[in-house]
Amino acid sequence: MSNKPGIRQRLGLEVFRAKRQQQKEAHELRTLFWECTLRCNVACRHCGSDCRASVEQADMPREYFLRVVDSITPHVNPHKVFVIFTGGEPLMRDDLEVCGRELYNREYPWGIVTNGLYLSRQRLDSLLKAGMHSITVSLDGLEEAHNWLRRHPKSFQQATGAIRMLAREEEIIWDVVTCVNQNNIDQLPALRDYLIGIGVRRWRIFTIFPVGRAADIPELQLSDKQFVTVLDFIESTRRENKIQLNFACEGFLGRYEAKVRDYFYHCNAGISVASVRVDGSISGCPSIRANYNQGNIYQDDFMQVWNERFAPFRDREWARQGECADCSMFRYCEGNGMHLHDETGKLLVCHFNKLKSKT
């Protein structure tokens, strides 16, 4: 079976491509990540940033990030810019609520991405009181598989406890994310049923790309056949419609486009998504670990950088090299996600090619 998209998918992709060109030209900021710390309370095998429990890089003082927020406020509608605290583990900071309340007072919606280890009832109540709008919790398999990946004996217990608490909340948006690897792929049906049973309504699945610690652990990378298995699982789960499941926005998927996600593939890094890293660097999506920084808040005006220096993100012709050079799908894929390129521009993973011989 060919992995190329069918005629109806091609028509949809062409319409979407035209829309994307307009979005690139407008580059309206819609999501701003703050890498507020590199400290973490676990030592995950797949960590792209190689975070540690204590690191030389100090947390960014919240005052500096709030100055960035104030500098962009005259240029955006705060209600339409979502601020996300990421890390490291954001809950390692004890001033998230203070910063969150400042954002709330400025009318910016905000949320966090967490491993759930420190999300107690008291902390959740404190975050909600500070105006937290959304939260994402990671759960990477059933207990043994999750704890293996996170390298913490109580990680599964704490994460599922956090999820159960969130399932009882009515006024917050939340979801669960799972990084699929060779150690948990066979558990996906059981994990799906478990998540449904504890009240999860929204679920996202990622694969692990070979950067940071993950580059040295072969068990984290799926074979081409396993990758197809994951996509088939997502497609069948979506048909059952018992849980809202999406594959991550990490790569172009040929005939699977619009079948395993609610949308056609696109990488919003540098187009509607920006990040302020813990050292002040200004970049796109925080998943990007190669040096595609475009400026630094300690020397540059954020909005000037956003408007004038993100050309590598918005014009991806530079990515038309190597296996992408003659690919007929480049017009839709544009070289996959920015986070899948090293500092030389080389593509680390091509999802479309992984599917070619297996579909």
Side-chain angles (χ1 to χ4, degrees), residues 222-233:
L222 299 179
S223 69
D224 294 356
K225 183 177 180 180
Q226 288 173 323
F227 184 54
V228 172
T229 297
V230 171
L231 297 183
D232 287 340
F233 166 78

Side-chain angles (χ1 to χ4, degrees), residues 100-152:
R101 174 56 63 178
E102 291 293 333
L103 291 172
Y104 181 83
N105 290 340
R106 291 163 169 79
E107 301 185 355
Y108 284 88
W110 64 276
I112 69 171
V113 178
T114 178
N115 59 39
L117 194 64
Y118 285 175
L119 192 64
S120 63
R121 180 72 255 181
Q122 182 179 5
R123 192 73 195 270
L124 178 58
D125 288 340
S126 178
L127 292 165
L128 292 172
K129 187 177 180 180
M132 184 173 68
H133 183 78
S134 79
I135 185 169
T136 292
V137 180
S138 296
L139 192 71
D140 300 308
L142 299 176
E143 186 164 11
E144 183 177 350
H146 175 87
N147 288 346
W148 173 83
L149 189 64
R150 298 285 164 172
R151 295 202 288 197
H152 193 292

